[in-house]
Amino acid sequence: MTLEEIADFIGINCQEKKEITGLNTLLDSNENELTFLENKKYLSDLKNTKAAAVLVTSENASEVPSGTIALICDEPYLNLARISKLFAPNVVEMDGEKPLIGGGTKVMPNVYIGKNSIVGSDCTIMAGSFIGDNVKIGNNTIIYPNVTIYRDCTIGNDCIIHAGTVIGSDGFGFANTKDGKYIKIYQNGNVTIGNDVEIGANCAIDRAVFKSTIIEDGVRLDNLVHIAHNCKIGRGSILVGQVGLAGSTILNAYVVMGGQSGTAGHLEIAPFTTIAARGGVTKSITEPKKSWAGFPLFEHKQWLKLQGKISNLLK
Amino acid sequence: MTLEEIADFIGINCQEKKEITGLNTLLDSNENELTFLENKKYLSDLKNTKAAAVLVTSENASEVPSGTIALICDEPYLNLARISKLFAPNVVEMDGEKPLIGGGTKVMPNVYIGKNSIVGSDCTIMAGSFIGDNVKIGNNTIIYPNVTIYRDCTIGNDCIIHAGTVIGSDGFGFANTKDGKYIKIYQNGNVTIGNDVEIGANCAIDRAVFKSTIIEDGVRLDNLVHIAHNCKIGRGSILVGQVGLAGSTILNAYVVMGGQSGTAGHLEIAPFTTIAARGGVTKSITEPKKSWAGFPLFEHKQWLKLQGKISNLLK
Amino acid sequence: MTLEEIADFIGINCQEKKEITGLNTLLDSNENELTFLENKKYLSDLKNTKAAAVLVTSENASEVPSGTIALICDEPYLNLARISKLFAPNVVEMDGEKPLIGGGTKVMPNVYIGKNSIVGSDCTIMAGSFIGDNVKIGNNTIIYPNVTIYRDCTIGNDCIIHAGTVIGSDGFGFANTKDGKYIKIYQNGNVTIGNDVEIGANCAIDRAVFKSTIIEDGVRLDNLVHIAHNCKIGRGSILVGQVGLAGSTILNAYVVMGGQSGTAGHLEIAPFTTIAARGGVTKSITEPKKSWAGFPLFEHKQWLKLQGKISNLLK
């Protein structure tokens, strides 16, 4: 789709015929992608963008670097939402290649495997599971019953996905219009899961808005865990039952999160951090190998001490 | 079923042949419905009921209005539970009309659609989903894989229901016998979902005990959200991941609830209220457009201030 | 499998040909089972074990009772994990008897029922559900759509399992190697559910590592409840939406847990205890019939008083 067509779709004028292949963030965009600036906090990213074009208000247009075309509009984020639909793939592909299934793989009854999908060897895909279009699954992986894997996701070797889990559902993204309507930001990324990952029952792992939600090698998720879009769960991390991560949370390697704990979005947690059960993380944790607890969060020992002080109020 | 038959079923005497069409609350019952009074708190409602009959203790029988028949019994709520079974529809209908599927709608393999159900045009019903009997789905709605929609529920136009979500499961209702047995209160209501609603993965939305659990137009639910029976989620409200609402909670329009927040039951939240992540609402919020946080709940600024005071205890 | 073969598998020497039938805890093992001691806290259990053999470090070998063979190794727990795979049954049985389905039971389309499974009379098994191998379901039980019941689990009479619920998924168990790899402890136990149990939508109930996760008669679980491996939920207990129990929690009879409450593992809660919504239980509760709230947990009245004191900090 050309930049001219995109501009036309949102009612602004631009005669560039440049072909745009997708949407992305300021810093991750390549020279064929379109990006946006809504929040001035990211002005420094704008200066470093390599994007073909950027949706931007007139106020910030002067900051657009010379190699990037400014698409000037009042509500860049809302227009990004509108445009995202143009890049959304089909919900279900009707055309394409039949799935390729490796040797030794058992596919039970009532399984659907979509177009262009590839399942490796020695896997077990149990009854009632759904494998969308263009999914790649490695070797020796077990998909338990009634699992749903949305299109374009990838899963490595030696993984176990327990029943009812959903991988690749849409991230929770939308822009507001002034009259209170929500415009969906189509989640055109995917979920990428490494090797030797085990995921419990009835979890929900959202696909990225751009690029990938990433679960690295060796991760263990318990039941009913919620992973929002664009999170990255580092190698060997352990998330106990009912943990919830908001969007774009980065857990570095070997983070442990106790049951019912959670994070706010857009933060990063240092390697080998432990969050106690019910802990709520609202800021990045930069120092590795420490233990934290509570909400608001304190170092675990401090939290225990604080609870002692609080209970003294009863005396 | 006649009032005489119902009375006979619970072992009390009443010779009225009046036909009873269902059960309902004191205030919502019409002149063909049966209601009950267990808790004296609702005596004023009893005086205003239009019900055909009311299950009531002898102590409160004198308060039953003249147009309503008193069915006097020791345990009105327990008897209501017993009677609710008489009004429960079949779990699965064997007879009835084949479903009607609109033009342009794709129904994937391994989908079950029940008797008398109607799916509009240009919908996508993905593999493994279950659409119960007497369900109505509007136009241009996407039902992702392995979704379950129980009988009698309705979903509007332009909705998206993500994988694994359950709509219309039984509300959590039962009465105790004196010897510790629970008698199920059959949940004979439904769930009604408006237009332009998006619901995340692996949510659970219970059907009403009477009438409807209501999700109004434009609502957005994230993943793993729990909505109990008889809640009403007002237009444009946003519930982030792992929110839980207890029974009969009313959210007015444009309420935002952060991740892992929750409410007690039978309360009402004013329009444009924001509840921060993890907030726990135990009383109605009457003033609109305010932000709240914590458990117990405080105005957000007060909560932040309070957390400062609490952390001072460590000094 | 003989003890010699098992020892050989983990690279230690033992020439005993004794047949080992399974793995178990120190106290529960019978004379044909293998057990382990990792944590010195359980030394007194070691002295009382009746196991055929025990994985134990050289340091503790002298404490092994005379009827039990010591398999001396550096990392008993890690070796137990490795050995657990030897006792894991097939993920899916290809051979075995066709399931037996009782009279009056309806099995809807797109249901899978495994080998050697038995479903009683007058049940309803709804579309998209999965009943694994060697499962036993009693009479008059309803399995709603898209439920998954893993192999070897048992469900009693008059139960209702709502849509999307998973019963018998693997408990969250693994041992660490020194280089940060997790070795799965195969969960070779099951889930046993009594009579007259109702379980809400999208719950997850894990199978035991050894023996059974137990849900006794009359229990009621709401939606999105997480029950970890080896829990026991006593008769008549009620768990409201989004409750989470960590492993080996024992609830005695008639415990009530409010919404979003939780427990740490390996603790016991006295009969007729009430935990308020959001309460977090970290120690055993020994006195019956009391009410508790908060995290950390206090007696409910004390917790209310404490919240008053805390809010006074704002003055």
Side-chain angles (χ1 to χ4, degrees), chain B residues 94 112 128 148 150 164 180 182 184 203 206 224 226 242-244 260 262 278-279 296, chain C residues 106 108 144 146 162-163 198 202 218 220-223 236 238 242 254 260 278 307 310:
Chain B
M94 292 296 155
Y112 180 91
T148 299
Y150 280 57
Y182 303 126
K184 182 177 177 73
C203 293
D206 282 347
L224 292 162
H226 162 61
Q242 299 176 319
V243 164
Q260 301 182 333
R278 301 235 170 160
Chain C
K106 289 175 209 152
M108 291 181 72
Y144 274 97
N146 292 321
H162 283 286
E198 183 161 355
N202 281 338
R220 296 288 181 272
L221 305 186
D222 200 350
N223 300 330
I238 295 171
Q242 298 177 321
Y254 292 99
Q260 300 183 334
R278 301 238 170 155
Q307 298 312 315
I310 290 172

mmCIF file of all heavy atoms in Angstrom, chain B residues 94 112 128 148 150 164 180 182 184 203 206 224 226 242-244 260 262 278-279 296, chain C residues 106 108 144 146 162-163 198 202 218 220-223 236 238 242 254 260 278 307 310:
data_model
loop_
_atom_site.group_PDB
_atom_site.id
_atom_site.type_symbol
_atom_site.label_atom_id
_atom_site.label_comp_id
_atom_site.label_asym_id
_atom_site.label_seq_id
_atom_site.Cartn_x
_atom_site.Cartn_y
_atom_site.Cartn_z
ATOM 1 N N MET B 94 -33.135 -30.776 22.007
ATOM 2 C CA MET B 94 -33.063 -31.772 20.940
ATOM 3 C C MET B 94 -33.997 -31.393 19.790
ATOM 4 O O MET B 94 -33.768 -31.744 18.644
ATOM 5 C CB MET B 94 -33.437 -33.154 21.481
ATOM 6 C CG MET B 94 -32.395 -33.695 22.461
ATOM 7 S SD MET B 94 -30.777 -33.957 21.604
ATOM 8 C CE MET B 94 -29.660 -33.811 23.013
ATOM 9 N N TYR B 112 -20.386 -25.955 16.925
ATOM 10 C CA TYR B 112 -21.760 -26.401 17.196
ATOM 11 C C TYR B 112 -22.630 -25.159 17.347
ATOM 12 O O TYR B 112 -22.288 -24.245 18.097
ATOM 13 C CB TYR B 112 -21.810 -27.228 18.487
ATOM 14 C CG TYR B 112 -23.199 -27.722 18.813
ATOM 15 C CD1 TYR B 112 -23.648 -28.954 18.353
ATOM 16 C CD2 TYR B 112 -24.078 -26.941 19.559
ATOM 17 C CE1 TYR B 112 -24.924 -29.416 18.632
ATOM 18 C CE2 TYR B 112 -25.366 -27.387 19.840
ATOM 19 C CZ TYR B 112 -25.781 -28.623 19.370
ATOM 20 O OH TYR B 112 -27.051 -29.062 19.649
ATOM 21 N N GLY B 128 -14.123 -24.872 16.806
ATOM 22 C CA GLY B 128 -14.206 -25.300 18.200
ATOM 23 C C GLY B 128 -15.129 -24.470 19.054
ATOM 24 O O GLY B 128 -15.289 -24.746 20.244
ATOM 25 N N THR B 148 -17.258 -20.373 24.209
ATOM 26 C CA THR B 148 -18.528 -21.027 24.548
ATOM 27 C C THR B 148 -19.564 -19.962 24.860
ATOM 28 O O THR B 148 -19.352 -19.125 25.745
ATOM 29 C CB THR B 148 -18.360 -21.933 25.786
ATOM 30 O OG1 THR B 148 -17.396 -22.939 25.497
ATOM 31 C CG2 THR B 148 -19.686 -22.584 26.170
ATOM 32 N N TYR B 150 -23.370 -19.831 26.053
ATOM 33 C CA TYR B 150 -24.477 -20.645 26.563
ATOM 34 C C TYR B 150 -25.805 -20.205 25.946
ATOM 35 O O TYR B 150 -25.943 -19.092 25.426
ATOM 36 C CB TYR B 150 -24.581 -20.490 28.076
ATOM 37 C CG TYR B 150 -23.612 -21.294 28.912
ATOM 38 C CD1 TYR B 150 -22.241 -21.180 28.741
ATOM 39 C CD2 TYR B 150 -24.063 -22.152 29.905
ATOM 40 C CE1 TYR B 150 -21.346 -21.898 29.549
ATOM 41 C CE2 TYR B 150 -23.186 -22.870 30.717
ATOM 42 C CZ TYR B 150 -21.836 -22.747 30.530
ATOM 43 O OH TYR B 150 -20.965 -23.454 31.333
ATOM 44 N N GLY B 164 -11.454 -18.897 23.950
ATOM 45 C CA GLY B 164 -11.580 -19.483 25.277
ATOM 46 C C GLY B 164 -12.565 -18.787 26.195
ATOM 47 O O GLY B 164 -12.814 -19.265 27.308
ATOM 48 N N GLY B 180 -26.370 -28.360 55.817
ATOM 49 C CA GLY B 180 -25.137 -28.051 55.102
ATOM 50 C C GLY B 180 -25.099 -28.492 53.653
ATOM 51 O O GLY B 180 -24.025 -28.635 53.077
ATOM 52 N N TYR B 182 -26.018 -27.572 49.690
ATOM 53 C CA TYR B 182 -26.317 -26.391 48.890
ATOM 54 C C TYR B 182 -27.332 -26.750 47.814
ATOM 55 O O TYR B 182 -27.120 -27.705 47.065
ATOM 56 C CB TYR B 182 -25.043 -25.859 48.231
ATOM 57 C CG TYR B 182 -23.959 -25.522 49.233
ATOM 58 C CD1 TYR B 182 -22.688 -26.060 49.109
ATOM 59 C CD2 TYR B 182 -24.211 -24.672 50.303
ATOM 60 C CE1 TYR B 182 -21.695 -25.751 50.034
ATOM 61 C CE2 TYR B 182 -23.223 -24.365 51.228
ATOM 62 C CZ TYR B 182 -21.966 -24.906 51.088
ATOM 63 O OH TYR B 182 -20.990 -24.610 51.997
ATOM 64 N N LYS B 184 -28.925 -25.592 44.427
ATOM 65 C CA LYS B 184 -28.635 -24.674 43.318
ATOM 66 C C LYS B 184 -29.816 -23.773 43.012
ATOM 67 O O LYS B 184 -30.950 -24.242 42.931
ATOM 68 C CB LYS B 184 -28.304 -25.510 42.072
ATOM 69 C CG LYS B 184 -27.941 -24.691 40.842
ATOM 70 C CD LYS B 184 -27.559 -25.610 39.679
ATOM 71 C CE LYS B 184 -27.271 -24.812 38.414
ATOM 72 N NZ LYS B 184 -25.999 -24.083 38.474
ATOM 73 N N CYS B 203 -12.042 -15.088 29.380
ATOM 74 C CA CYS B 203 -12.930 -14.411 30.333
ATOM 75 C C CYS B 203 -14.101 -15.328 30.692
ATOM 76 O O CYS B 203 -14.367 -16.316 30.002
ATOM 77 C CB CYS B 203 -13.491 -13.120 29.725
ATOM 78 S SG CYS B 203 -12.234 -11.858 29.457
ATOM 79 N N ASP B 206 -20.962 -14.515 33.637
ATOM 80 C CA ASP B 206 -22.081 -15.362 34.070
ATOM 81 C C ASP B 206 -23.425 -14.812 33.641
ATOM 82 O O ASP B 206 -23.654 -13.596 33.662
ATOM 83 C CB ASP B 206 -22.077 -15.482 35.595
ATOM 84 C CG ASP B 206 -21.042 -16.468 36.099
ATOM 85 O OD1 ASP B 206 -20.493 -17.252 35.301
ATOM 86 O OD2 ASP B 206 -20.793 -16.461 37.325
ATOM 87 N N LEU B 224 -9.045 -12.737 30.908
ATOM 88 C CA LEU B 224 -9.217 -13.365 32.229
ATOM 89 C C LEU B 224 -10.050 -12.507 33.186
ATOM 90 O O LEU B 224 -9.842 -12.501 34.404
ATOM 91 C CB LEU B 224 -7.845 -13.684 32.859
ATOM 92 C CG LEU B 224 -7.053 -14.791 32.137
ATOM 93 C CD1 LEU B 224 -5.584 -14.746 32.533
ATOM 94 C CD2 LEU B 224 -7.624 -16.158 32.450
ATOM 95 N N HIS B 226 -13.526 -11.642 35.097
ATOM 96 C CA HIS B 226 -14.651 -12.385 35.669
ATOM 97 C C HIS B 226 -15.807 -11.427 35.948
ATOM 98 O O HIS B 226 -15.659 -10.476 36.717
ATOM 99 C CB HIS B 226 -14.179 -13.043 36.973
ATOM 100 C CG HIS B 226 -15.273 -13.483 37.891
ATOM 101 N ND1 HIS B 226 -16.211 -14.424 37.540
ATOM 102 C CD2 HIS B 226 -15.579 -13.124 39.166
ATOM 103 C CE1 HIS B 226 -17.038 -14.614 38.559
ATOM 104 N NE2 HIS B 226 -16.680 -13.838 39.556
ATOM 105 N N GLN B 242 -7.731 -9.482 34.333
ATOM 106 C CA GLN B 242 -7.926 -10.124 35.625
ATOM 107 C C GLN B 242 -8.802 -9.337 36.594
ATOM 108 O O GLN B 242 -8.809 -9.612 37.796
ATOM 109 C CB GLN B 242 -6.566 -10.472 36.264
ATOM 110 C CG GLN B 242 -5.769 -11.447 35.407
ATOM 111 C CD GLN B 242 -4.398 -11.742 35.941
ATOM 112 O OE1 GLN B 242 -3.713 -10.851 36.405
ATOM 113 N NE2 GLN B 242 -3.976 -12.996 35.867
ATOM 114 N N VAL B 243 -9.563 -8.381 36.076
ATOM 115 C CA VAL B 243 -10.565 -7.720 36.919
ATOM 116 C C VAL B 243 -11.656 -8.727 37.285
ATOM 117 O O VAL B 243 -11.987 -9.617 36.493
ATOM 118 C CB VAL B 243 -11.167 -6.505 36.178
ATOM 119 C CG1 VAL B 243 -12.458 -6.025 36.837
ATOM 120 C CG2 VAL B 243 -10.158 -5.370 36.133
ATOM 121 N N GLY B 244 -12.213 -8.579 38.482
ATOM 122 C CA GLY B 244 -13.330 -9.419 38.901
ATOM 123 C C GLY B 244 -14.447 -8.597 39.501
ATOM 124 O O GLY B 244 -14.204 -7.794 40.401
ATOM 125 N N GLN B 260 -6.385 -6.409 37.718
ATOM 126 C CA GLN B 260 -6.502 -7.098 39.012
ATOM 127 C C GLN B 260 -7.327 -6.329 40.037
ATOM 128 O O GLN B 260 -7.285 -6.641 41.230
ATOM 129 C CB GLN B 260 -5.109 -7.446 39.572
ATOM 130 C CG GLN B 260 -4.300 -8.343 38.643
ATOM 131 C CD GLN B 260 -2.945 -8.749 39.193
ATOM 132 O OE1 GLN B 260 -2.363 -8.035 39.994
ATOM 133 N NE2 GLN B 260 -2.440 -9.903 38.762
ATOM 134 N N GLY B 262 -11.118 -5.100 41.603
ATOM 135 C CA GLY B 262 -12.339 -5.870 41.792
ATOM 136 C C GLY B 262 -13.386 -5.078 42.534
ATOM 137 O O GLY B 262 -13.124 -3.985 43.044
ATOM 138 N N ARG B 278 -5.526 -3.016 40.915
ATOM 139 C CA ARG B 278 -5.582 -3.618 42.244
ATOM 140 C C ARG B 278 -6.529 -2.938 43.206
ATOM 141 O O ARG B 278 -6.605 -3.332 44.381
ATOM 142 C CB ARG B 278 -4.192 -3.620 42.884
ATOM 143 C CG ARG B 278 -3.212 -4.371 42.068
ATOM 144 C CD ARG B 278 -2.630 -5.365 42.959
ATOM 145 N NE ARG B 278 -1.839 -6.298 42.212
ATOM 146 C CZ ARG B 278 -0.927 -7.032 42.780
ATOM 147 N NH1 ARG B 278 -0.699 -6.921 44.063
ATOM 148 N NH2 ARG B 278 -0.277 -7.903 42.071
ATOM 149 N N GLY B 279 -7.241 -1.921 42.773
ATOM 150 C CA GLY B 279 -8.200 -1.286 43.661
ATOM 151 C C GLY B 279 -9.334 -2.252 43.992
ATOM 152 O O GLY B 279 -9.755 -3.042 43.147
ATOM 153 N N PRO B 296 -8.367 -1.128 51.547
ATOM 154 C CA PRO B 296 -9.589 -0.381 51.230
ATOM 155 C C PRO B 296 -9.316 0.776 50.255
ATOM 156 O O PRO B 296 -8.201 1.247 50.157
ATOM 157 C CB PRO B 296 -10.045 0.148 52.581
ATOM 158 C CG PRO B 296 -9.312 -0.659 53.604
ATOM 159 C CD PRO B 296 -8.059 -1.085 52.971
ATOM 160 N N LYS C 106 -26.100 -38.224 27.177
ATOM 161 C CA LYS C 106 -25.986 -37.583 25.843
ATOM 162 C C LYS C 106 -24.549 -37.153 25.621
ATOM 163 O O LYS C 106 -24.002 -36.401 26.436
ATOM 164 C CB LYS C 106 -26.816 -36.303 25.779
ATOM 165 C CG LYS C 106 -28.294 -36.484 25.755
ATOM 166 C CD LYS C 106 -28.970 -35.091 25.815
ATOM 167 C CE LYS C 106 -30.317 -35.230 26.494
ATOM 168 N NZ LYS C 106 -30.765 -34.020 27.177
ATOM 169 N N MET C 108 -22.536 -34.990 22.958
ATOM 170 C CA MET C 108 -22.740 -34.098 21.820
ATOM 171 C C MET C 108 -21.592 -34.253 20.794
ATOM 172 O O MET C 108 -20.614 -34.950 21.051
ATOM 173 C CB MET C 108 -22.849 -32.651 22.315
ATOM 174 C CG MET C 108 -24.129 -32.398 23.104
ATOM 175 S SD MET C 108 -24.276 -30.677 23.672
ATOM 176 C CE MET C 108 -24.615 -29.832 22.110
ATOM 177 N N TYR C 144 -20.019 -29.091 30.635
ATOM 178 C CA TYR C 144 -20.357 -28.058 29.653
ATOM 179 C C TYR C 144 -19.306 -28.010 28.520
ATOM 180 O O TYR C 144 -18.293 -28.712 28.594
ATOM 181 C CB TYR C 144 -20.524 -26.708 30.364
ATOM 182 C CG TYR C 144 -21.926 -26.525 30.900
ATOM 183 C CD1 TYR C 144 -22.244 -26.808 32.219
ATOM 184 C CD2 TYR C 144 -22.954 -26.104 30.058
ATOM 185 C CE1 TYR C 144 -23.549 -26.664 32.696
ATOM 186 C CE2 TYR C 144 -24.251 -25.959 30.528
ATOM 187 C CZ TYR C 144 -24.546 -26.238 31.843
ATOM 188 O OH TYR C 144 -25.834 -26.097 32.292
ATOM 189 N N ASN C 146 -16.292 -27.449 25.843
ATOM 190 C CA ASN C 146 -14.873 -27.064 25.830
ATOM 191 C C ASN C 146 -14.179 -27.250 27.176
ATOM 192 O O ASN C 146 -13.167 -26.610 27.464
ATOM 193 C CB ASN C 146 -14.712 -25.613 25.324
ATOM 194 C CG ASN C 146 -15.074 -25.502 23.852
ATOM 195 O OD1 ASN C 146 -14.755 -26.385 23.065
ATOM 196 N ND2 ASN C 146 -15.749 -24.436 23.465
ATOM 197 N N HIS C 162 -18.471 -26.263 34.483
ATOM 198 C CA HIS C 162 -18.789 -25.252 33.475
ATOM 199 C C HIS C 162 -17.705 -25.133 32.403
ATOM 200 O O HIS C 162 -16.577 -25.631 32.549
ATOM 201 C CB HIS C 162 -19.098 -23.914 34.148
ATOM 202 C CG HIS C 162 -20.472 -23.910 34.730
ATOM 203 N ND1 HIS C 162 -21.603 -23.813 33.967
ATOM 204 C CD2 HIS C 162 -20.898 -24.072 36.005
ATOM 205 C CE1 HIS C 162 -22.667 -23.881 34.742
ATOM 206 N NE2 HIS C 162 -22.273 -24.045 35.985
ATOM 207 N N ALA C 163 -18.081 -24.439 31.355
ATOM 208 C CA ALA C 163 -17.295 -24.411 30.121
ATOM 209 C C ALA C 163 -15.868 -23.916 30.333
ATOM 210 O O ALA C 163 -15.605 -23.026 31.142
ATOM 211 C CB ALA C 163 -17.998 -23.527 29.091
ATOM 212 N N GLU C 198 -20.017 -28.345 42.077
ATOM 213 C CA GLU C 198 -20.187 -27.469 40.917
ATOM 214 C C GLU C 198 -18.947 -26.603 40.763
ATOM 215 O O GLU C 198 -18.481 -25.994 41.735
ATOM 216 C CB GLU C 198 -21.448 -26.593 41.043
ATOM 217 C CG GLU C 198 -21.666 -25.728 39.806
ATOM 218 C CD GLU C 198 -23.082 -25.179 39.640
ATOM 219 O OE1 GLU C 198 -23.969 -25.534 40.434
ATOM 220 O OE2 GLU C 198 -23.298 -24.399 38.681
ATOM 221 N N ASN C 202 -13.772 -21.731 33.204
ATOM 222 C CA ASN C 202 -12.351 -21.388 33.024
ATOM 223 C C ASN C 202 -11.523 -21.498 34.311
ATOM 224 O O ASN C 202 -10.587 -20.729 34.526
ATOM 225 C CB ASN C 202 -12.204 -19.988 32.393
ATOM 226 C CG ASN C 202 -12.452 -20.027 30.889
ATOM 227 O OD1 ASN C 202 -12.343 -21.072 30.252
ATOM 228 N ND2 ASN C 202 -12.779 -18.890 30.300
ATOM 229 N N GLY C 218 -19.887 -31.772 47.614
ATOM 230 C CA GLY C 218 -20.624 -30.545 47.915
ATOM 231 C C GLY C 218 -19.851 -29.253 47.715
ATOM 232 O O GLY C 218 -20.383 -28.177 47.968
ATOM 233 N N ARG C 220 -18.257 -25.951 46.068
ATOM 234 C CA ARG C 220 -18.660 -25.012 45.023
ATOM 235 C C ARG C 220 -17.473 -24.116 44.664
ATOM 236 O O ARG C 220 -16.955 -23.400 45.545
ATOM 237 C CB ARG C 220 -19.805 -24.106 45.495
ATOM 238 C CG ARG C 220 -21.112 -24.827 45.817
ATOM 239 C CD ARG C 220 -21.806 -25.315 44.564
ATOM 240 N NE ARG C 220 -23.074 -25.979 44.813
ATOM 241 C CZ ARG C 220 -23.211 -27.289 45.058
ATOM 242 N NH1 ARG C 220 -22.159 -28.073 45.109
ATOM 243 N NH2 ARG C 220 -24.413 -27.805 45.228
ATOM 244 N N LEU C 221 -17.056 -24.138 43.406
ATOM 245 C CA LEU C 221 -16.020 -23.221 42.914
ATOM 246 C C LEU C 221 -16.649 -22.278 41.909
ATOM 247 O O LEU C 221 -17.379 -22.703 41.015
ATOM 248 C CB LEU C 221 -14.879 -23.980 42.214
ATOM 249 C CG LEU C 221 -14.154 -25.099 42.954
ATOM 250 C CD1 LEU C 221 -12.969 -25.582 42.111
ATOM 251 C CD2 LEU C 221 -13.676 -24.663 44.317
ATOM 252 N N ASP C 222 -16.317 -21.027 42.026
ATOM 253 C CA ASP C 222 -16.785 -20.002 41.084
ATOM 254 C C ASP C 222 -15.849 -20.004 39.847
ATOM 255 O O ASP C 222 -15.096 -20.956 39.628
ATOM 256 C CB ASP C 222 -16.766 -18.665 41.845
ATOM 257 C CG ASP C 222 -17.632 -17.588 41.236
ATOM 258 O OD1 ASP C 222 -18.131 -17.748 40.111
ATOM 259 O OD2 ASP C 222 -17.796 -16.547 41.910
ATOM 260 N N ASN C 223 -15.863 -18.964 39.074
ATOM 261 C CA ASN C 223 -15.072 -18.902 37.836
ATOM 262 C C ASN C 223 -13.598 -18.573 38.078
ATOM 263 O O ASN C 223 -13.254 -17.902 39.048
ATOM 264 C CB ASN C 223 -15.621 -17.805 36.911
ATOM 265 C CG ASN C 223 -17.060 -18.045 36.509
ATOM 266 O OD1 ASN C 223 -17.511 -19.181 36.419
ATOM 267 N ND2 ASN C 223 -17.786 -16.964 36.275
ATOM 268 N N GLY C 236 -18.114 -29.243 51.239
ATOM 269 C CA GLY C 236 -18.939 -28.055 51.401
ATOM 270 C C GLY C 236 -18.193 -26.734 51.352
ATOM 271 O O GLY C 236 -18.781 -25.684 51.622
ATOM 272 N N ILE C 238 -16.497 -23.351 49.805
ATOM 273 C CA ILE C 238 -16.947 -22.428 48.758
ATOM 274 C C ILE C 238 -15.793 -21.505 48.402
ATOM 275 O O ILE C 238 -15.283 -20.777 49.254
ATOM 276 C CB ILE C 238 -18.138 -21.578 49.271
ATOM 277 C CG1 ILE C 238 -19.350 -22.475 49.555
ATOM 278 C CG2 ILE C 238 -18.469 -20.466 48.296
ATOM 279 C CD1 ILE C 238 -20.487 -21.753 50.254
ATOM 280 N N GLN C 242 -11.811 -16.227 41.092
ATOM 281 C CA GLN C 242 -10.405 -15.832 41.005
ATOM 282 C C GLN C 242 -9.594 -16.176 42.252
ATOM 283 O O GLN C 242 -8.483 -15.683 42.427
ATOM 284 C CB GLN C 242 -10.282 -14.349 40.651
ATOM 285 C CG GLN C 242 -10.891 -14.049 39.277
ATOM 286 C CD GLN C 242 -10.866 -12.595 38.910
ATOM 287 O OE1 GLN C 242 -11.093 -11.732 39.749
ATOM 288 N NE2 GLN C 242 -10.596 -12.290 37.652
ATOM 289 N N TYR C 254 -16.222 -26.935 54.831
ATOM 290 C CA TYR C 254 -16.992 -25.696 54.920
ATOM 291 C C TYR C 254 -16.133 -24.440 55.095
ATOM 292 O O TYR C 254 -16.531 -23.499 55.787
ATOM 293 C CB TYR C 254 -18.058 -25.788 56.020
ATOM 294 C CG TYR C 254 -19.137 -26.787 55.655
ATOM 295 C CD1 TYR C 254 -19.131 -28.083 56.161
ATOM 296 C CD2 TYR C 254 -20.131 -26.437 54.755
ATOM 297 C CE1 TYR C 254 -20.095 -28.999 55.789
ATOM 298 C CE2 TYR C 254 -21.104 -27.348 54.388
ATOM 299 C CZ TYR C 254 -21.078 -28.622 54.906
ATOM 300 O OH TYR C 254 -22.029 -29.534 54.528
ATOM 301 N N GLN C 260 -10.830 -13.414 44.811
ATOM 302 C CA GLN C 260 -9.441 -12.946 44.662
ATOM 303 C C GLN C 260 -8.595 -13.226 45.913
ATOM 304 O O GLN C 260 -7.498 -12.686 46.032
ATOM 305 C CB GLN C 260 -9.391 -11.473 44.275
ATOM 306 C CG GLN C 260 -10.095 -11.190 42.941
ATOM 307 C CD GLN C 260 -10.004 -9.744 42.490
ATOM 308 O OE1 GLN C 260 -9.854 -8.832 43.295
ATOM 309 N NE2 GLN C 260 -10.085 -9.523 41.179
ATOM 310 N N ARG C 278 -9.947 -11.129 48.859
ATOM 311 C CA ARG C 278 -8.583 -10.587 48.795
ATOM 312 C C ARG C 278 -7.695 -10.995 49.966
ATOM 313 O O ARG C 278 -6.551 -10.529 50.049
ATOM 314 C CB ARG C 278 -8.603 -9.058 48.753
ATOM 315 C CG ARG C 278 -9.369 -8.553 47.580
ATOM 316 C CD ARG C 278 -8.436 -7.738 46.833
ATOM 317 N NE ARG C 278 -8.968 -7.366 45.567
ATOM 318 C CZ ARG C 278 -8.597 -6.316 44.922
ATOM 319 N NH1 ARG C 278 -7.703 -5.505 45.457
ATOM 320 N NH2 ARG C 278 -9.066 -6.080 43.736
ATOM 321 N N GLN C 307 -7.427 -1.039 59.706
ATOM 322 C CA GLN C 307 -7.616 -0.124 58.577
ATOM 323 C C GLN C 307 -8.030 1.256 59.074
ATOM 324 O O GLN C 307 -7.643 2.275 58.500
ATOM 325 C CB GLN C 307 -8.654 -0.677 57.580
ATOM 326 C CG GLN C 307 -8.259 -2.000 56.941
ATOM 327 C CD GLN C 307 -6.844 -2.018 56.400
ATOM 328 O OE1 GLN C 307 -6.405 -1.072 55.735
ATOM 329 N NE2 GLN C 307 -6.090 -3.071 56.702
ATOM 330 N N ILE C 310 -4.871 2.855 60.242
ATOM 331 C CA ILE C 310 -4.037 3.257 59.099
ATOM 332 C C ILE C 310 -4.583 4.539 58.487
ATOM 333 O O ILE C 310 -3.832 5.480 58.194
ATOM 334 C CB ILE C 310 -3.968 2.125 58.056
ATOM 335 C CG1 ILE C 310 -3.131 0.951 58.602
ATOM 336 C CG2 ILE C 310 -3.385 2.632 56.739
ATOM 337 C CD1 ILE C 310 -3.163 -0.297 57.743
#
